[in-house]
């Protein structure tokens, strides 16, 4: 078609008056224009191909443990690279063996090892410094610091002691025989424990080790109950930025219920873990545990949804109280993150930010190169 188009133009151009461009010049310009268009088309094709390649997000799955994450990745259309071993978390893989990727998901303990090799364009699902609230003792220490300065704003949790550091102050809660004043009950948790392991309730000082790393709190005797069962809430909060601080709270979560009906705590029933502790790992083996087998009914069983809980609360105590509780939960989550914000900023800079001396060296090298070129 281009050749026919040129020949037709050539015939039409034969009758030019004097002073106009010669037919040969016109043909040459037409040919140049056609060649330019062809090159532009080829360039556009290459650009489109390159853009398509860049649009593919790669997801490193070597350190990913949970199938729900893989389902979400596939739904997003991302490309999974690396392989997920079948030994509950993947085999030990050195940094040098990791594939290049846009997103590195880590569900294992070597988070900081992975952070050290992250490039500025890569993303990882952790912030350095989060152990300051992930570990019970650090969380308690940071909250206590804030409560000393802002007692009203940080009055949302019971009195807490980090042992053995606070053991002398904790000792004042007991009489000379080691019995708690006013029959107060304390719940004691190991700092590094999980799934309810090592948690117990006591009124006796002698049952609490003065050497182990523990967190002790005053036990709440009259909790809110659902169907006569004690429960807790699991909220999901996403931090996407530290500077500036940006937090999102998911509008759903979990409600975990005990499997034994709650009664007034006494020295005789303090050992009834399925009445006092809401941990799934503790209650799942109780004969009263109810599994929810209907995904459309979130208000049945020993595990329920947060959305169901908010609807239940609105019915039981009114919309106004339910909305107030939701706002307070969001405020609580923000205050917890704020309690460690200085550490988060400091550790983020230490992990990812280029130090000032490195920037100065880079600037000096650039100046030397410019001087040499001149």
């Amino acid at each position: 078609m281009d050749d026919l188009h040129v020949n037709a133009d050539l015939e039409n151009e034969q009758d030019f008056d004097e002073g106009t461009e010669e037919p040969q010049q016109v043909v040459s310009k037409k040919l140049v224009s056609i060649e330019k268009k062809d090159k532009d088309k080829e360039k556009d094709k290459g650009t489109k191909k390159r853009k398509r390649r860049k649009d593919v997000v790669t997801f490193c799955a070597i350190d990913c443990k949970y199938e729900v994450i893989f389902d979400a990745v596939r739904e997003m259309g991302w490309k999974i690279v690396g392989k997920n071993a079948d030994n509950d978390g993947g085999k030990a893989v050195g940094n040098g063996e990791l594939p290049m990727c846009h997103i590195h998901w880590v569900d294992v303990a070597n988070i900081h090892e992975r952070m050290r090799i992250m490039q500025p364009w890569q993303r990882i699902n952790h912030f350095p410094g989060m152990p300051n609230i992930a570990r019970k003792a650090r969380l308690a220490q940071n909250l206590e610091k804030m409560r000393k300065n802002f007692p009203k704003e940080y009055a949302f949790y019971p009195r807490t002691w980090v042992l053995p550091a606070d053991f002398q102050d904790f000792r004042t809660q007991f009489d000379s025989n080691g019995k708690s004043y006013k029959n107060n009950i304390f719940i004691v948790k190991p700092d590094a424990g999980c799934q309810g392991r090592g948690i117990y309730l006591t009124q006796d000082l002698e049952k609490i080790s003065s050497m182990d790393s523990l967190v002790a709190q005053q036990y709440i005797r009259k909790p809110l109950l659902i169907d006569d069962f004690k429960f807790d809430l699991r909220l999901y909060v996403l931090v996407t930025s530290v500077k500036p601080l940006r937090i999102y709270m998911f509008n759903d979560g979990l409600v975990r219920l005990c499997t034994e009906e709650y009664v007034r705590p006494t020295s005789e029933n303090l050992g009834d873990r399925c009445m006092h502790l809401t941990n799934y790992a503790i209650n799942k083996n109780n004969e009263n545990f109810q599994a929810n087998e209907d995904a459309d009914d979130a208000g049945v069983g020993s595990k329920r949804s947060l959305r169901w809980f908010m609807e239940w609360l609105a019915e039981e105590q009114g919309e106004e109280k339910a909305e107030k509780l939701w706002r307070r939960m969001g405020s609580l989550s923000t205050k917890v993150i704020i309690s460690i914000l200085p550490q988060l900023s400091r550790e983020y800079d230490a992990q990812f930010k280029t130090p000032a001396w490195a920037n100065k060296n880079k600037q000096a090298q650039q100046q030397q190169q410019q001087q040499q070129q001149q």
Side-chain angles (χ1 to χ4, degrees):
M1 289 294 297
D2 287 336
D3 290 340
L4 291 174
H5 180 68
V6 170
N7 290 336
D9 286 342
L10 179 58
E11 293 176 1
N12 293 333
E13 298 293 348
Q14 293 293 338
D15 297 328
F16 276 17
D17 295 330
E18 289 184 4
T20 61
E21 294 183 272
E22 292 294 330
Q24 186 62 40
Q25 292 176 337
V26 174
V27 172
S28 298
K29 286 188 177 182
K30 294 284 184 182
L31 290 173
V32 170
S33 175
I34 291 167
E35 289 177 2
K36 186 175 185 300
K37 287 180 181 178
D38 290 340
K39 288 180 180 179
D40 289 342
K41 287 180 181 178
E42 292 298 323
K43 187 177 179 181
D44 290 341
K45 288 180 181 179
T47 303
K48 288 179 181 177
K49 287 180 181 178
R50 285 196 294 274
K51 283 184 179 179
R52 282 197 292 270
R53 283 197 295 270
K54 287 182 180 179
D55 287 341
V56 177
V57 176
T58 53
F59 180 92
C60 181
I62 286 179
D63 296 324
C64 183
K65 291 173 58 177
Y66 304 107
E67 191 61 34
V68 66
I69 304 298
F70 285 94
D71 292 342
V73 170
R74 295 186 188 102
E75 187 176 342
M76 295 291 292
W78 297 348
K79 181 180 178 182
I80 298 175
V81 296
K83 65 178 182 178
N84 183 41
D86 298 325
N87 58 346
D88 189 31
K91 63 181 180 179
V93 177
N95 286 339
E97 302 175 65
L98 292 176
M100 194 60 70
C101 63
H102 294 99
I103 299 173
H104 195 106
W105 193 274
V106 182
D107 290 322
V108 292
N110 58 345
I111 298 169
H112 290 282
E113 180 184 342
R114 299 305 193 219
M115 284 182 179
R116 284 198 294 269
I117 63 166
M118 290 294 103
Q119 299 297 318
W121 51 270
Q122 291 181 300
R123 297 293 182 267
I124 192 168
N125 62 316
H126 292 275
F127 275 94
M130 281 300 177
N132 288 294
I133 56 175
R135 295 291 290 265
K136 298 180 185 69
R138 293 190 197 178
L139 171 62
Q141 288 168 341
N142 285 298
L143 290 180
E144 284 295 307
K145 288 179 183 177
M146 296 299 286
R147 182 144 70 175
K148 288 178 181 178
N149 292 287
F150 309 98
K152 183 180 178 181
E153 289 78 4
Y154 280 81
F156 55 80
Y157 67 98
R159 193 170 180 189
T160 305
W161 294 265
V162 177
L163 307 177
D166 299 333
F167 193 82
Q168 291 302 317
D169 183 56
F170 184 58
R171 176 70 180 78
T172 63
Q173 303 301 308
F174 300 84
D175 61 23
S176 57
N177 296 319
K179 302 297 181 181
S180 63
Y181 289 117
K182 300 180 181 179
N183 289 323
N184 284 333
I185 299 170
F186 299 93
I187 182 169
V188 183
K189 304 177 182 182
D191 174 36
C194 62
Q195 299 182 335
R197 288 190 290 266
I199 301 177
Y200 59 93
L201 276 64
T202 186
Q203 294 175 301
D204 299 324
L205 183 63
E206 65 179 14
K207 293 183 179 179
I208 303 174
S209 171
S210 60
M211 301 301 294
D212 294 337
S213 181
L214 305 168
V215 174
Q217 285 186 304
Q218 191 163 353
Y219 189 62
I220 299 174
R221 291 175 177 267
K222 295 181 180 180
L224 180 64
L225 303 177
I226 297 177
D227 300 333
D228 295 324
F229 294 102
K230 186 181 174 183
F231 68 95
D232 72 1
L233 303 178
R234 176 162 291 191
L235 308 178
Y236 292 92
V237 177
L238 173 66
V239 179
T240 60
S241 172
V242 171
K243 295 191 298 185
L245 181 62
R246 189 173 292 116
I247 305 172
Y248 299 88
M249 189 166 78
F250 187 42
N251 59 5
D252 205 353
L254 287 179
V255 183
R256 305 186 302 178
L257 284 78
C258 289
T259 48
E260 298 288 345
E261 289 188 4
Y262 187 82
V263 296
R264 183 175 177 272
T266 64
S267 56
E268 286 75 24
N269 63 28
L270 292 184
D272 191 345
R273 290 164 63 82
C274 290
M275 183 181 82
H276 294 292
L277 306 182
T278 56
N279 303 75
Y280 169 72
I282 292 174
N283 287 279
K284 67 179 181 179
N285 296 319
N286 188 289
E287 60 182 7
N288 297 326
F289 183 84
Q290 296 181 12
N292 186 342
E293 298 178 354
D294 185 359
D296 296 325
D297 189 354
V300 176
S302 299
K303 263 190 176 183
R304 307 182 187 183
S305 77
L306 182 63
R307 288 183 181 178
W308 169 85
F309 170 77
M310 298 306 298
E311 293 173 359
W312 171 84
L313 188 67
E315 292 176 1
E316 292 288 321
Q317 301 195 22
E319 289 281 353
E320 185 177 346
K321 286 190 176 181
E323 290 176 3
K324 182 179 179 180
L325 177 62
W326 179 252
R327 291 194 300 269
R328 290 184 68 185
M329 289 192 295
S331 175
L332 180 153
S333 302
T334 303
K335 289 174 183 177
V336 171
I337 301 296
I338 287 176
S339 73
I340 63 164
L341 189 55
Q343 294 99 310
L344 283 179
S345 298
R346 186 166 56 249
E347 294 193 33
Y348 184 90
D349 288 343
Q351 188 73 56
F352 297 119
K353 190 175 181 181
T354 305
W357 61 265
N359 286 329
K360 289 181 179 179
N361 289 345
K362 186 176 181 180
Q363 291 175 357
Q365 290 176 357
Q366 291 175 346
Q367 289 177 355
Q368 288 180 356
Q369 292 175 356
Q370 291 175 355
Q371 290 174 356
Q372 289 174 359
Q373 290 174 358
Q374 292 175 356

